[in-house]
Amino acid sequence: MTYIAKPKLHHPTLPANKIGFTRRDYEGKISTLCAGCGHDSISAAIIQACWELDIEPHRVAKLSGIGCSSKTPDYFLGNSHGFNSVHGRMPSVLTGANLANRDLIYLGVSGDGDSASIGIGQFAHVMRRGVNMVYIVENNGVYGLTKGQFSATADQGSKSKRGVVNSDSPVDLAALALQLGATFVGRSFSGDKGQLVPLIKAAIVHPGAAFLDVISPCVAFNNHTGSTRSYEYVREHNEPVNRIDFDYWPKREEITVEYPEGEVVSVTQHDGSVLRLRKLAKNYDAHDRITAMNYIQQHQAKGEVVTGLLYVDPDPEDLHRHLNTADAPFNALSAGDLCPGSAALEKINASLR
Amino acid sequence: MKPTDIRNPDYFHKVVDCQWACPAHTPVPEYIRLIAQGRYDDAYMINWYSNVFPGVLGRTCDRPCEPACRRSRVEDGQSTEPVAICRLKRVAADYKDDIRARLPQVPKQKNGKRVALIGAGPASLTVARDLAPLGYHLAVYDQDPQGGGMMRTQIPKFRLPESVLDEEVGYIENLGLETHFGQRVDSLKAVLAENYDAVFVGCGAPRGRDLEIPGRQEAAANIHIGIDWLSSVSFGHIEKIGKRVIVLGGGNTAMDCCRSSKRLGGEDVKVIVRSGYEEMKASPWEKEDATHEGIPILNFLVPKTFVHHNGKLTGMTFEKVKAEYDAKGRRRLVPTGEPDHLYECDDVLIAIGQENSFPWIERDVGIEFDEWGMPKVDEVTFQSSRPGVFFGGDAAFGPKNIIWAVAHGHEAAISIDKFCNGEDVRERPAPMVNLMSQKMGIHEWSYDNDVSLDQRFKVPWNDVRATLKNIKLEVEKGFDPATAFKEAQRCLNCDAQTVFSHNLCIECDACVDICPMDCITFTDNADESDLRKRLNAPATNLTQDLYVSEALKTGRIMAKDEDVCLHCGLCAERCPTGAWDMQKFFLEMTHAGPSCRDKHSAPGRKAA
Ligand SMILES: Cc1cc2nc3c(=O)[nH]c(=O)nc-3n(C[C@H](O)[C@H](O)[C@H](O)COP(=O)(O)OP(=O)(O)OC[C@H]3O[C@@H](n4cnc5c(N)ncnc54)[C@H](O)[C@@H]3O)c2cc1C
Ligand SMILES: Cc1ncc(C[n+]2csc(CCOP(=O)(O)OP(=O)(O)O)c2C)c(N)n1
Ligand code: SF4
Ligand code: SF4
Ligand code: SF4
Ligand SMILES: [Mg+2]
């Protein structure tokens, strides 16, 4: 834990975005996580993504459960709305909030313990319902906050810091999300912002249930040899299928050139924005849910970690469409809208006769 | 790029911008921290070893360190003010106790070598300070009745009280010098005939430039050469000047002339300068001080004639000019065509430049002079073309300032010591360097790394009505201890270096994410110009180095732009493996003595 406040001073050439904010304006409190925790890098990636998308901080609601990962919303977007729920219950609170005010951007932040153990039921239903949100799991294979017990996503055969081998089979949250109907599914690595930041941006603009499984090493309890979530292991086994280039949104000059050139496919989304995917795996088609599921399983079996935009539905539906709700959020509906009077009631009754 | 070699003392020295810019390489952040801790004696001694005249310089230094200060590159918004390095030095001098017990002792047993020092200005006094504790017998000659050189004769008392000068000159004179004050040297030959082991010429640049335009001879009684006039004022030979005074010239001498005139009866005092305001040679703060005292500065006026009536000066005429720039950006002053301006006056002070003059050095003693009448002096050893005769201060390369005179004095003393020990003066000693971790506990650092957001604090002044009445009343009051503390806290501790160990780094990005200035990038290696463009924040200041590591596990390198690093230590604080560490870089110049000689390389003085 760091006690020095981050100085307000910043680089003299730090640019402002279209709405006049610098990246630093999207920061939160100084992190209390262990130095070197992958979660902090994900926070930095969220900050970067929101800055690049010119998002007004007051339009974002951050929701989380319990865990080191669930603490992170305190460390970014200090001027946004926040709700820290009970362990594993973030998806339900998020669903409720989204129903009440569909105008906000919902950012659910959770851990593998929070989502794959205690909260797995909630996780399943929020995906099924297609709640318009970005759901990020900061996946380190352990319960970091409670000192490093294996979580439900830990790979079978991987070793804990004390040398204990995990015998249970792992939950693959990305595969699960695909199966449950999420309309945007990606996987990335906290140590690769070149891949992660565009993925977060794409997930934010995606008008449906967007899920990101972000591998995020726990330096304190899961960064040793024998772990499959260490910085070193993930770097060695990372198999990116594609990378997103953003042409549609203003971006800072990209500096990462870590991926080789590949074929580029453009995906025009519902709102007209264009996602440009640079294909890295030749035969990978990010539009096909079934292929995606197979591909992940096949590579997982080989011990590889498939990353990138795994699946996107360019024309997704969401919970509000399914429920045929009003376009205006609750808080904008007047008493007259909510209680349209006896004439309207008559009409409804008549239609049911 | 090749990995940075941090064992090269220059590498981290450059990062300490102020120390690098100081001609004497004073360890600035070290003394500023000591001031913040209230350790004024220690802060004073660090200064005393490096720059010999902390109390004097803390009031008068040209402060090349301040424009270099990192603080002015990192501050937000309009404020780009450096730390008040110079005036903090004064704080150490003002609040110290009696430090005499800490001054070096003169050995009873002399080393048998005799050295003559011509002139008792800061250059010669520095040579004396460095050589006396080594057992040299030093004979100092000056035409003036007291030591101090131009610090005494030129700098007005309202900027530098006599007591401060007396104290610091006294520390050196008490080192057992043989002083010949009030004795002008008229022949170098005669000095050489006395068989000194070495001679140091520190006679300054004593001649003020004159202005030969019509009327100069006729009105001579009321036309004065600035530095001669200031020196007469200093010794109390002149106590009055006319009511209307024109000061010609745009340098610091002109500023001292006009401000002194204001205190000696001048009511309508103005400075008239050929060039524009911005190009004036005077330091910005000297110009401000003059303006503060109600002295107008008139620009773009070229003197044409002294107007007189029966030999009594009545005014001056000037041609109005304007600046024009040619294709190459060179400036030319061209007449505007307006009729000449007439300014009435009772006295004129000419402060348009200062020159060297060596009438007392015979041209056949083996000292070569160039076409401008300057001796040929080696820029590193300060030796002239005659072995054993050294030059320093304004005498070596023309008029500069006190801190340069001190720096020259230190280097010349090394040369003299080596020369007298039969060593090659061109072999120069390396500085004493120490790099030490500042980590005290898991989250504790031995320096205050919480960067303060304060803007520069102003030094309080005495009431201008009082200071204009008394030429000896100091204008500035100096910081009180509480304000000094706050100003000291503005220092970024640039000597707390970020030291990177590539073999410890696990490339977790924690340092990249936390760095408030976006200094750190992990990227593929490339040559410098390419790399500078690819960093997380552009590194456009080419005077500041990139710190580049060896290849890491992923094959990438760590590249850090030193330019705007705050030395806040957050990178080290957030690094899980200790790959970053904050280490104090202490560099002290090696001075004359055993450690500067090849034969006995003993370690230098220990850091405070
Ligand atoms: C008006 C004015 C104001 C200044 N203000 C500042 C300031 O605020 N800050 C700053 O840093 N610098 C200032 N300077 C510059 C500074 O004073 C000089 O650069 C510095 O003193 C040079 O030191 P020095 O040891 O080389 O020679 P000097 O200080 O010039 O000393 C040389 C000495 O040698 C003596 N001497 C010369 N010839 C002989 C001889 N033949 N025999 C015996 N003695 C001889 C002279 O009398 C003099 O005492 C100022 C200069 C002037 C003119
Ligand atoms: C209802 C409830 N059960 C158990 C806990 C104890 N607990 C706190 S955090 C945590 C696991 C967090 O793991 P994860 O979501 O992976 O977060 P990480 O710390 O690894 O980021 C558990 C079990 C709790 N706080 N509340
Ligand atoms: S325990 Fe692990 S997950 Fe929690 S802050 Fe520390 S490194 Fe991060
Ligand atoms: S000390 Fe480290 S964190 Fe602070 S500005 Fe410098 S590089 Fe950045
Ligand atoms: S915080 Fe330390 S280990 Fe992590 S990338 Fe920076 S230097 Fe390397
Ligand atoms: Mg976890």
Side-chain angles (χ1 to χ4, degrees):
Chain A
M1 147 133 203
T2 296
Y3 300 94
I4 332 167
K6 184 163 172 173
K8 290 270 180 288
L9 302 176
H10 57 70
H11 197 276
T13 65
L14 187 68
N17 61 12
K18 278 203 186 125
I19 55 171
F21 292 132
T22 69
R23 201 182 72 242
R24 298 289 303 279
D25 295 321
Y26 291 83
E27 289 180 350
K29 292 200 193 108
I30 192 141
S31 171
T32 59
L33 302 186
C34 303
C37 177
H39 299 353
D40 282 335
S41 286
I42 301 175
S43 299
I46 293 171
I47 289 167
Q48 180 74 25
C50 291
W51 176 78
E52 287 181 18
L53 288 177
D54 306 310
I55 288 173
E56 294 160 308
H58 68 268
R59 289 200 51 241
V60 179
K62 317 166 284 184
L63 298 99
S64 62
I66 298 293
C68 298
S69 35
S70 295
K71 284 171 69 179
T72 61
D74 209 17
Y75 317 137
F76 58 81
L77 297 180
N79 292 313
S80 298
H81 308 279
F83 195 105
N84 194 206
S85 84
V86 205
H87 203 11
R89 269 53 182 164
M90 176 273 282
S92 313
V93 180
L94 190 152
T95 306
N98 187 306
L99 276 173
N101 184 355
R102 62 188 297 176
D103 276 359
L104 295 183
I105 295 168
Y106 290 93
L107 181 55
V109 177
S110 178
D112 43 332
D114 198 56
S115 284
S117 297
I118 193 168
I120 196 160
Q122 317 259 318
F123 173 83
H125 295 295
V126 84
M127 294 302 163
R128 280 183 57 239
R129 289 175 174 143
V131 179
N132 182 5
M133 63 179 175
V134 180
Y135 192 126
I136 298 181
V137 166
E138 308 192 339
N139 188 349
N140 54 16
V142 288
Y143 299 169
L145 193 68
T146 54
K147 304 264 177 285
Q149 302 83 351
F150 282 123
S151 79
T153 68
D155 288 315
Q156 205 163 31
S158 67
K159 260 195 205 145
S160 78
K161 200 173 178 181
R162 281 171 50 235
V164 180
V165 175
N166 179 35
S167 46
D168 299 345
S169 51
V171 172
D172 181 343
L173 288 170
L176 207 52
L178 277 169
Q179 205 233 309
L180 290 164
T183 44
F184 181 110
V185 178
R187 176 144 54 206
S188 191
F189 170 45
S190 67
D192 184 0
K193 290 206 192 65
Q195 183 191 50
L196 179 56
V197 173
L199 265 180
I200 296 175
K201 285 164 71 179
I204 290 175
V205 289
H206 178 80
F211 176 70
L212 290 176
D213 179 20
V214 186
I215 302 181
S216 174
C218 169
V219 278
F221 302 111
N222 208 7
N223 195 37
H224 47 270
T225 15
S227 155
T228 57
R229 297 288 152 83
S230 66
Y231 282 105
E232 223 174 314
Y233 184 94
V234 180
R235 284 211 169 92
E236 269 165 22
H237 296 80
N238 193 345
E239 278 300 316
V241 291
N242 51 33
R243 111 186 214 101
I244 301 178
D245 289 348
F246 262 83
D247 286 356
Y248 186 81
W249 291 281
K251 59 162 190 174
R252 279 180 70 214
E253 221 175 294
E254 277 290 348
I255 43 153
T256 345
V257 278
E258 281 165 27
Y259 297 101
E261 293 289 304
E263 183 200 343
V264 175
V265 270
S266 298
V267 186
T268 309
Q269 306 207 98
H270 184 72
D271 66 346
S273 61
V274 184
L275 269 187
R276 287 159 57 84
L277 281 183
R278 191 174 297 281
K279 277 190 148 189
L280 298 173
K282 250 206 193 128
N283 300 317
Y284 195 78
D285 179 2
H287 286 93
D288 188 333
R289 197 183 282 273
I290 314 280
T291 335
M293 287 162 76
N294 286 337
Y295 191 93
I296 298 175
Q297 301 292 323
Q298 281 161 12
H299 286 260
Q300 208 95 308
K302 289 194 264 176
E304 290 167 359
V305 186
V306 181
T307 61
L309 175 53
L310 304 176
Y311 172 71
V312 60
D313 179 348
D315 195 8
E317 292 193 354
D318 85 324
L319 176 69
H320 284 279
R321 192 142 136 214
H322 294 158
L323 297 180
N324 195 23
T325 57
D327 288 343
F330 264 1
N331 63 2
L333 295 177
S334 65
D337 296 328
L338 294 168
C339 185
S342 43
L345 182 63
E346 266 313 304
K347 230 171 142 186
I348 293 169
N349 284 342
S351 75
L352 296 172
R353 284 198 183 104
Chain B
M1 280 180 81
K2 282 218 188 88
T4 302
D5 179 11
I6 60 168
R7 284 166 313 175
N8 174 356
D10 277 359
Y11 182 74
F12 281 140
H13 190 178
K14 269 194 196 165
V15 175
V16 194
D17 300 280
C18 45
Q19 185 173 8
W20 180 253
C22 172
H25 302 306
T26 305
V28 174
E30 178 76 1
Y31 85 67
I32 291 185
R33 271 191 304 274
L34 290 169
I35 288 170
Q37 293 164 19
R39 289 169 61 186
Y40 304 119
D41 292 9
D42 294 334
Y44 185 84
M45 291 314 292
I46 294 247
N47 271 292
W48 192 79
Y49 275 103
S50 300
N51 54 52
V52 191
F53 303 101
V56 172
L57 288 165
R59 293 166 164 84
T60 62
C61 189
D62 240 13
R63 24 174 152 151
C65 53
E66 291 194 15
C69 175
R70 174 175 304 255
R71 183 92 200 185
S72 58
R73 298 200 299 273
V74 301
E75 281 210 340
D76 207 4
Q78 287 97 14
S79 162
T80 51
E81 292 261 47
V83 174
I85 300 171
C86 176
R87 294 313 190 248
L88 284 171
K89 196 191 305 294
R90 169 176 173 176
V91 167
D94 282 358
Y95 299 115
K96 69 179 186 309
D97 278 332
D98 188 349
I99 48 84
R100 278 174 298 181
R102 295 176 68 167
L103 298 175
Q105 300 293 309
V106 186
K108 289 208 179 64
Q109 184 68 43
K110 300 281 174 191
N111 69 1
K113 309 276 182 195
R114 293 164 61 248
V115 178
L117 308 171
I118 317 298
S124 288
L125 291 176
T126 300
V127 175
R129 205 285 306 269
D130 286 358
L131 294 184
L134 305 175
Y136 283 86
H137 181 92
L138 302 161
V140 191
Y141 294 86
D142 201 298
Q143 63 198 8
D144 290 333
Q146 280 168 290
M150 287 195 168
M151 298 190 292
R152 188 179 298 280
T153 60
Q154 296 296 317
I155 301 182
K157 309 279 177 274
F158 57 85
R159 287 208 288 126
L160 174 61
E162 207 155 16
S163 57
V164 176
L165 184 65
D166 286 346
E167 176 190 331
E168 293 186 335
V169 170
Y171 290 156
I172 299 165
E173 286 175 5
N174 290 340
L175 295 174
L177 312 188
E178 174 193 316
T179 53
H180 302 266
F181 289 163
Q183 187 175 334
R184 190 184 152 78
V185 175
D186 288 316
S187 157
L188 180 61
K189 260 189 193 164
V191 175
L192 294 170
E194 292 188 39
N195 287 322
Y196 287 106
D197 293 283
V199 175
F200 176 78
V201 180
C203 63
R207 192 156 68 191
R209 199 171 288 153
D210 206 344
L211 183 65
E212 293 299 345
I213 52 171
R216 173 69 180 95
Q217 302 307 328
E218 297 84 333
N222 291 91
I223 300 170
H224 321 275
I225 301 289
I227 65 170
D228 297 342
W229 183 80
L230 282 172
S231 144
S232 301
V233 170
S234 163
F235 287 115
H237 304 324
I238 289 182
E239 289 173 334
K240 272 202 90 54
I241 195 159
K243 282 203 166 67
R244 298 168 307 168
V245 181
I246 291 177
V247 176
L248 301 174
N252 289 339
T253 305
M255 298 303 117
D256 282 341
C257 284
C258 69
R259 296 177 70 196
S260 296
S261 302
K262 255 269 148 86
R263 287 159 168 81
L264 296 180
E267 286 168 13
D268 168 14
V269 179
K270 50 174 89 67
V271 177
I272 302 186
V273 195
R274 283 166 56 99
S275 70
Y277 188 82
E278 297 305 325
E279 306 100 83
M280 285 169 61
K281 280 208 184 121
S283 325
W285 55 88
E286 303 255 349
K287 292 192 273 187
E288 278 164 31
D289 290 350
T291 307
H292 179 75
E293 292 175 358
I295 300 166
I297 296 175
L298 313 179
N299 296 94
F300 293 123
L301 290 166
V302 177
K304 292 272 297 265
T305 58
F306 291 102
V307 185
H308 54 93
H309 188 70
N310 294 334
K312 171 85 179 81
L313 182 75
T314 57
M316 279 191 77
T317 59
F318 296 86
E319 181 178 52
K320 185 77 185 165
V321 293
K322 61 181 180 205
E324 269 183 10
Y325 296 87
D326 65 11
K328 282 188 184 138
R330 276 178 310 206
R331 192 205 59 168
R332 233 162 31 106
L333 294 174
V334 293
T336 56
E338 282 175 47
D340 286 350
H341 294 219
L342 169 75
Y343 290 98
E344 295 185 347
C345 66
D346 303 315
D347 281 289
V348 169
L349 298 174
I350 306 175
I352 56 171
Q354 211 184 318
E355 287 166 350
N356 290 85
S357 111
F358 302 96
W360 55 280
I361 299 185
E362 295 83 354
R363 299 300 138 121
D364 60 353
V365 289
I367 295 176
E368 282 175 44
F369 282 80
D370 66 16
E371 50 192 305
W372 300 282
M374 289 298 285
K376 290 191 176 160
V377 178
D378 186 293
E379 286 184 21
V380 176
T381 65
F382 293 88
Q383 187 163 239
S384 70
S385 50
R386 178 183 164 125
V389 177
F390 301 84
F391 284 71
D394 289 357
F397 311 114
K400 283 194 170 145
N401 53 42
I402 302 170
I403 190 66
W404 272 111
V406 168
H408 290 179
H410 284 315
E411 291 303 317
I414 290 174
S415 297
I416 292 170
D417 190 41
K418 289 175 83 79
F419 181 80
C420 290
N421 282 280
E423 289 186 5
D424 184 353
V425 294
R426 279 165 308 179
E427 292 286 322
R428 308 304 288 182
M432 200 281 289
V433 181
N434 194 348
L435 197 60
M436 205 165 60
S437 178
Q438 299 299 290
K439 202 172 174 73
M440 305 287 285
I442 300 180
H443 296 288
E444 268 179 280
W445 300 91
S446 68
Y447 69 104
D448 201 342
N449 48 4
D450 208 349
V451 178
S452 104
L453 292 173
D454 282 329
Q455 298 195 350
R456 183 175 169 122
F457 291 86
K458 275 219 160 347
V459 178
W461 281 341
N462 277 310
D463 186 351
V464 66
R465 280 164 306 188
T467 54
L468 285 182
K469 279 201 197 92
N470 178 357
I471 196 162
K472 290 194 171 170
L473 178 59
E474 193 172 12
V475 169
E476 289 190 11
K477 292 207 278 198
F479 285 128
D480 59 57
T483 316
F485 172 78
K486 285 192 251 172
E487 183 60 30
Q489 289 298 85
R490 292 182 69 236
C491 171
L492 295 170
N493 303 291
C494 299
D495 59 344
Q497 304 287 354
T498 55
V499 178
F500 184 75
S501 308
H502 75 282
N503 49 342
L504 292 178
C505 175
I506 58 170
E507 299 176 64
C508 69
D509 271 1
C511 52
V512 177
D513 294 337
I514 198 70
C515 175
M517 305 305 279
D518 300 320
C519 299
I520 306 167
T521 307
F522 290 89
T523 182
D524 294 325
N525 204 348
D527 55 30
E528 180 165 352
S529 58
D530 187 15
L531 209 49
R532 280 182 175 273
K533 282 184 232 128
R534 290 204 284 109
L535 302 182
N536 283 341
T540 47
N541 183 353
L542 299 182
T543 65
Q544 296 276 326
D545 288 333
L546 294 186
Y547 182 0
V548 170
S549 78
E550 281 176 50
L552 303 164
K553 277 228 178 73
T554 58
R556 301 183 298 175
I557 51 151
M558 184 290 300
K560 181 195 163 208
D561 179 13
E562 297 283 13
D563 186 22
V564 291
C565 170
L566 299 176
H567 300 267
C568 64
L570 276 169
C571 48
E573 180 74 21
R574 296 302 292 164
C575 176
T577 64
W580 285 111
D581 190 22
M582 304 308 289
Q583 300 189 4
K584 183 168 91 180
F585 173 81
F586 187 81
L587 177 143
E588 206 173 28
M589 298 302 284
T590 302
H591 293 154
S595 50
C596 86
R597 294 180 215 137
D598 319 331
K599 283 168 199 147
H600 337 248
S601 35
R605 208 171 59 83
K606 280 268 163 5

